Amino acid sequence: RRARRRRARRRSIGTWRGALKTKEEDGGHGGLVVLVLADDVQSVGEALQIEYALTAVAEGKTALGIKARNGVVLCTDKKLGSRLVDSDDVKKLEMLTESCGLVYAGVGPDYRVLVKKARKQAQQYFLTYGEQKPVRGLVQDLAAVMQEYTQSGGVRPFGVSLLVAGYDDVEGPQLFQVDPSGAYYGWKASAIGKNYKNARSFLEKRYADDVELDDAIHTALLTMREGFEGEMNEHNVELAVVGTDGLFKTLTPPELKDYLDEGN
């Protein structure tokens, strides 16, 4: 029985990897994702489907976030599988509200579904109360959706982890990580995706509680460069910030190039 479980598990993880490969070849836009899952739960009570989702996350492109004294930075690798893909049409950083945005590592089509759900919930809140939904509330909504998909019939867990950055008048700058299980935590700095362990180790050495937003941008790019395969430039990384003005903004390639030049 153990041997059968191991074989089933390897087949399932291989299917997750195939789904992730399909996503990357499609420039993160979509493609057919077919998952064949083994037993839902091991005898020790471990949810195998969540393991497979975390495997997909670990093979996704690296993304990281840093909370500064006066804002938050999100940065991600967005190298494309082919030079024929239009890089302007590939976006890994998405805005949820004017003051909140997020980035992912894992399966792109799953990410699109979560972004759509989160935007809908944020708009419903705005129409009801006439103000932007607090960052923590958005994160709790996302986590609730992801957790529901771990226990409902006919569905599977989302194959993504998220880093959510935002700013509000109550709690100031905030950075959260949400995992496929639906667990979420507040972080000062974190990394997800491929090479996340080395990235977190690098951040631990360089992070300071009183870091300014501008310095956090440089630290994010330095961290990304540490494990980057090939030459890093303004076209294969993406970076966004949210500051005390409460506006989530993705840097343009010329703006990003200036920061990269300063770091050289």
Side-chain angles (χ1 to χ4, degrees):
R1 290 177 61 187
R2 289 182 179 176
R4 284 198 301 272
R5 276 189 187 143
R6 283 197 295 269
R7 286 195 295 270
R9 183 180 175 186
R10 283 196 293 268
R11 285 196 300 270
S12 299
I13 291 176
T15 308
W16 270 106
R17 287 174 176 162
L20 187 63
K21 186 171 185 293
T22 300
K23 180 270 299 184
E24 289 181 341
E25 288 177 347
D26 196 42
H29 288 257
L32 182 62
V33 179
V34 181
L35 299 174
V36 181
L37 298 175
D39 297 336
D40 288 345
V41 181
Q42 285 182 322
S43 58
V44 295
E46 186 177 10
L48 291 179
Q49 291 193 20
I50 296 176
E51 270 195 51
Y52 308 144
L54 289 171
T55 299
V57 171
E59 296 197 7
K61 295 288 196 300
T62 305
L64 59 91
I66 302 174
K67 183 173 76 171
R69 187 185 61 80
N70 57 337
V72 188
V73 179
L74 293 179
C75 186
T76 182
D77 174 351
K78 73 163 201 176
K79 279 200 307 295
L80 303 175
S82 169
R83 65 186 183 88
L84 300 178
V85 177
D86 185 356
S87 61
D88 293 336
D89 199 37
V90 179
K91 298 184 185 301
K92 293 190 65 180
L93 287 158
E94 295 286 355
M95 179 189 293
L96 296 182
T97 67
E98 287 184 355
S99 59
C100 181
L102 75 171
V103 68
Y104 79 100
V107 182
D110 288 12
Y111 175 60
R112 287 205 316 271
V113 172
L114 287 169
V115 169
K116 183 177 179 180
K117 286 179 179 290
R119 284 174 173 167
K120 183 176 180 179
Q121 290 169 336
Q123 191 64 22
Q124 287 174 340
Y125 186 95
F126 182 80
L127 291 173
T128 303
Y129 299 105
E131 61 183 25
Q132 300 293 341
K133 189 163 191 173
V135 179
R136 186 176 295 272
L138 287 167
V139 171
Q140 290 171 339
D141 287 345
L142 279 166
V145 171
M146 294 174 78
Q147 194 281 328
E148 183 180 346
Y149 275 64
T150 68
Q151 63 178 17
S152 302
V155 297
R156 59 167 176 81
F158 289 95
V160 293
S161 282
L162 307 172
L163 289 175
V164 185
Y167 190 99
D168 59 47
D169 294 334
V170 178
E171 298 192 51
Q174 297 159 74
L175 174 67
F176 291 93
Q177 179 176 327
V178 190
D179 290 326
S181 65
Y184 68 93
Y185 306 94
W187 288 79
K188 295 179 179 178
S190 185
I192 54 177
K194 202 176 291 186
N195 202 39
Y196 78 95
K197 290 183 179 179
N198 291 335
R200 280 188 189 170
S201 177
F202 189 84
L203 287 169
E204 286 174 359
K205 294 174 184 176
R206 301 189 68 94
Y207 183 80
D209 288 330
D210 60 349
V211 65
E212 296 288 332
L213 186 58
D214 204 54
D215 294 330
I217 293 173
H218 289 291
T219 301
L221 292 173
L222 280 173
T223 307
M224 189 64 66
R225 185 177 273 125
E226 278 292 302
F228 203 83
E229 298 175 1
E231 182 183 357
M232 192 171 84
N233 58 52
E234 68 273 20
H235 300 296
N236 55 23
V237 291
E238 201 172 359
L239 188 144
V241 298
V242 56
T244 54
D245 58 358
L247 296 176
F248 184 85
K249 176 190 174 186
T250 301
L251 269 61
T252 63
E255 290 173 328
L256 193 52
K257 186 176 186 304
D258 289 341
Y259 280 106
L260 288 168
D261 291 343
E262 288 175 15
N264 291 333

